[in-house]
Structures are given as C-alpha cells and as structure tokens.
C-alpha cells in the first residue's frame, strides 16, 4: 500500500549516495551510505521546519488557554457534551488546532517506516525500491563503526561475518546506538516540557501524560534492538536536529514568564486575554420553574357563612 512512498525514499537515498560518491567517497564504504542517511534526515527535517514553528505556536496557545479550559471543565463537569462544545468554541475563537501539536511527528513516521522497509529489503538481498542488485550488495557490505548498515542486534553471527564484521563488536555498536537513541529521545521531550512547565497546572492531565512519556522515552531504545543500524542513524540524527532546532527557536520565541518575569496569566494585559479577547461563555439554559397554582376557596351560601338558618320575613 505504501510502496510508492518506499520508492520515493529509496530513490532519494540512492541520489544522495550518488552525489556523495561523486565527491570522492568510496561508494561501498560506510561513510558514503551513513552520510546518505544523515543527509536524507536533514532534508526531511528542513522540509518540516515550517510545521515545527506552527507546532510551537500551537503548543504556546494551548498553554495560555489552560486557565480558561480549567474553568470550562469545572463549570460543566457534570455535562460532558456541553463541556466539549465550550472547549471547541474556545479553540475556534483562539484559532487553535490541537492536531497541529503532533502533526510534525505524524508526518515523520511514514518516512521512518519507509526507510526501515528499504533497509530491511537491502538486508534480505532484495533489489527493489529503486535499488539494483549492485547497490544492494554495496549497501550490505558497508560497515559503519564495524557494524553492517542493515545489521540488527538479532542478526546471526554468520550474517555479520559474511560482511567482514566481528559479531561481538557489531552488536556492541548496535547497543550503544540504541542507548544514544533512547537518551536523545528523552532529552528532546524534556527540553520541550521544561519550556512550558511554569505555565502548567499541577493536576493538568496533559502535563502528567507528557511526563510519563518522557520517562518512558529511554525504553524506546529497546525497540532499536530490532531495527537496522541505518534506521538508528536516522533516529539519532533526527533527535539531535530536534534539540538544536528547539534550542534556537525557543530562544527566538521565549515563553512569557520563562525569564523570571510575571507570566501572562498574572498580569492585567495577559497574552491569553489578548489572544482570546473578552470571551463570554454561553450562559446556561434557564431551567423552567414549575407554576404555582393558588386554589381559591369555594364561595359558600350565605346561610352557611352566618352559621344559622335564614329568618323568614
């Protein structure tokens, strides 16, 4: 189903490799193939820079909206449907789309899986996705720090030895790459959370879930044991790029209150107020009060009211 994407990623990787070999690098060496993957990663991340900037502004707006969102949740805590309606109104008035907060990651994942599939086919000796038999053989024999490009931790010793690699050394290199991958994933998430931690509400479920994901990030390195080392190069390069990109853009667009000044929510002219204006929440629908009917006493005959019989004249 995604063969068209695999073909694009394979073609781009081959073109970058051809360009690097034209500059004098050994076409069968690990430097040529390793730098091809690094260059592919940089190209993908450069294309996504505008999306990352949009993501950063979206996250900032979301943080500024937290006090008003908390009020909406508290006011309509017993009416989930009304609560969702008011939150959607809040998003619309601020021009915020929550999906933009995770869009760059969603767009990176197809490229990640495409590269994984391309390198897996290379490891299996399959000439597809733009690779010829000669290119497959060249990529299979490329050693990156004594580990074959398509090698995994689960690769057998015989498979590693046929490419001229020491099985023990190759697996040590793969383990180190997995540790670096998990560590850089943790640092990128910590960098993002630390930036807006002073704006978060203590019991905010979004903040709690982000912290849980951050501390689980090092465990992602375990998944790297089943990935080709070429994919680990892509992941580590992407994480290092993200850390540098976030550091530059966060300094250029600091969060109010991060430099020791009063945060936006504590000043009269708050950025959240400027962002959302004077928002008036929809008044709750009036509850119809039951009508009180007053029963008038029945008019009694005059004789009964006087307490005796009427006198005959």
């Amino acid at each position: 189903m995604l063969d068209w994407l695999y073909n694009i990623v394979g073609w781009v990787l081959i073109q970058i490799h051809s360009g690097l070999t034209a500059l004098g690098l050994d076409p069968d060496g690990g430097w040529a193939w390793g730098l091809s993957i690094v260059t592919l990663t940089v190209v993908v991340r450069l294309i996504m820079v505008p999306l990352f900037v949009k993501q950063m502004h979206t996250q900032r707006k979301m943080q500024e909206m937290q006090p008003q969102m908390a009020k909406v949740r508290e006011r309509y805590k017993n009416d989930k449907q009304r609560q969702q309606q008011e939150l959607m109104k809040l998003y619309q008035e601020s021009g915020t789309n929550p999906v933009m907060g995770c869009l760059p990651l969603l767009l990176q994942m197809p490229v990640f899986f495409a590269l994984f599939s391309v390198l897996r086919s290379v490891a299996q000796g399959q000439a597809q996705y733009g690779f010829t038999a000669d290119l497959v053989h060249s990529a299979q024999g490329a050693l990156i720090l004594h580990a074959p490009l398509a090698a995994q931790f689960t690769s057998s010793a015989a498979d590693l030895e046929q490419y001229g690699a020491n099985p023990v050394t190759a697996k040590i290199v793969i383990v180190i790459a997995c540790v670096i991958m998990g560590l850089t994933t943790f640092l990128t998430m910590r960098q993002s959370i630390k930036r807006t931690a002073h704006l978060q509400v203590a019991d905010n479920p979004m903040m709690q879930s982000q912290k849980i994901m951050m501390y689980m990030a090092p465990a992602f390195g375990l998944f790297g044991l089943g990935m080709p080392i070429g994919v680990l190069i892509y992941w580590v390069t992407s994480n290092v790029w993200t850390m540098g990109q976030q550091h530059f853009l966060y300094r250029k667009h600091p969060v109010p209150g991060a430099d020791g000044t009063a945060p936006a929510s504590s000043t009269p002219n708050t950025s959240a107020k400027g962002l959302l204006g004077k928002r008036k929440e929809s008044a709750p629908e009036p509850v119809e009060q039951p009508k009180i009917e007053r029963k008038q006493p029945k008019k009694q005959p005059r004789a009964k009211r006087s307490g005796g019989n009427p006198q005959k004249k």
Side-chain angles (χ1 to χ4, degrees):
M1 184 175 64
L2 293 177
D3 284 354
W4 62 272
L5 180 60
Y6 301 163
N7 288 324
I8 292 175
V9 172
W11 182 84
V12 173
L13 185 62
I14 292 171
Q15 297 306 312
I16 295 174
H17 177 262
S18 299
L20 292 175
T21 55
L23 296 176
L25 293 180
D26 181 9
D28 299 328
W31 278 105
W33 285 106
L35 288 178
S36 297
I37 296 174
V38 172
T39 306
L40 172 64
T41 309
V42 173
V43 170
V44 172
R45 296 310 305 270
L46 281 173
I47 294 174
M48 293 185 179
V49 166
L51 291 176
F52 181 84
V53 175
K54 183 68 175 178
Q55 176 195 33
M56 183 183 66
H57 290 311
T58 298
Q59 291 176 340
R60 178 171 174 175
K61 287 182 181 179
M62 292 287 289
Q63 299 304 325
E64 293 173 349
M65 290 165 55
Q66 288 301 316
Q68 288 183 314
M69 293 173 68
K71 290 180 181 179
V72 171
R73 293 192 183 98
E74 179 62 24
R75 183 173 185 178
Y76 302 104
K77 60 183 178 180
N78 297 325
D79 190 347
K80 297 299 181 182
Q81 182 178 358
R82 187 64 181 278
Q83 182 185 111
Q84 292 300 320
Q85 292 175 353
E86 293 297 328
L87 289 176
M88 290 305 298
K89 289 180 182 179
L90 194 61
Y91 290 139
Q92 292 174 357
E93 292 174 3
S94 64
T96 303
N97 187 354
V99 178
M100 286 300 303
C102 56
L103 185 59
L105 178 61
L106 294 177
L107 292 179
Q108 284 185 73
M109 295 310 294
V111 179
F112 172 82
F113 287 120
L115 182 61
F116 176 82
S117 298
V118 170
L119 293 179
R120 182 176 58 182
S121 68
V122 169
Q124 295 172 351
Q126 300 175 358
Q128 57 182 352
Y129 307 134
F131 277 74
T132 63
D134 292 337
L135 286 174
V136 170
H137 181 73
S138 173
Q140 283 181 328
L143 297 180
I144 299 176
L145 299 176
H146 305 286
L149 180 75
Q152 304 176 16
F153 186 81
T154 55
S155 299
S156 64
D159 291 337
L160 297 174
E161 289 175 350
Q162 71 176 348
Y163 300 120
N166 185 299
V168 176
T169 304
K171 292 194 175 187
I172 291 176
V173 171
I174 294 173
V175 169
I176 293 175
C178 291
V179 172
I180 296 174
M181 184 191 75
L183 180 61
T184 52
T185 303
F186 169 80
L187 292 176
T188 53
M189 297 182 69
R190 180 176 179 272
Q191 185 183 35
S192 178
I193 293 175
K194 186 178 179 181
R195 177 178 184 256
T196 56
H198 67 288
L199 296 177
Q200 293 280 8
V201 182
D203 57 350
N204 183 9
M206 183 183 298
M207 183 64 174
Q208 298 298 328
S209 61
Q210 288 178 346
K211 286 185 176 181
I212 293 174
M213 290 296 295
M214 180 184 70
Y215 289 113
M216 288 179 61
F220 292 163
L222 297 176
F223 295 102
L225 297 176
M227 299 177 184
I229 193 169
V231 176
L232 297 179
I233 293 174
Y234 172 85
W235 197 322
V236 171
T237 304
S238 181
N239 286 348
V240 173
W241 176 278
T242 300
M243 285 192 292
Q245 181 176 261
Q246 289 183 161
H247 178 74
F248 174 77
L249 292 176
Y250 287 173
R251 289 188 62 184
K252 189 176 180 180
H253 303 280
V255 175
D259 55 355
T261 60
S265 58
S266 63
T267 58
N269 186 19
T270 63
S271 57
K273 184 178 179 180
L275 173 66
L276 302 174
K278 296 180 179 180
R279 181 181 185 274
K280 294 183 179 180
E281 296 178 1
S282 302
E285 298 179 359
V287 180
E288 185 178 355
Q289 299 293 335
K291 295 182 179 181
I292 301 176
E293 297 182 358
R294 297 181 179 179
K295 296 182 178 180
Q296 298 292 339
K298 294 182 179 180
K299 192 173 182 180
Q300 298 178 353
R302 186 174 180 182
K304 291 183 179 182
R305 282 181 293 172
S306 59
N309 296 326
Q311 296 178 356
K312 295 182 179 179
K313 295 183 179 179

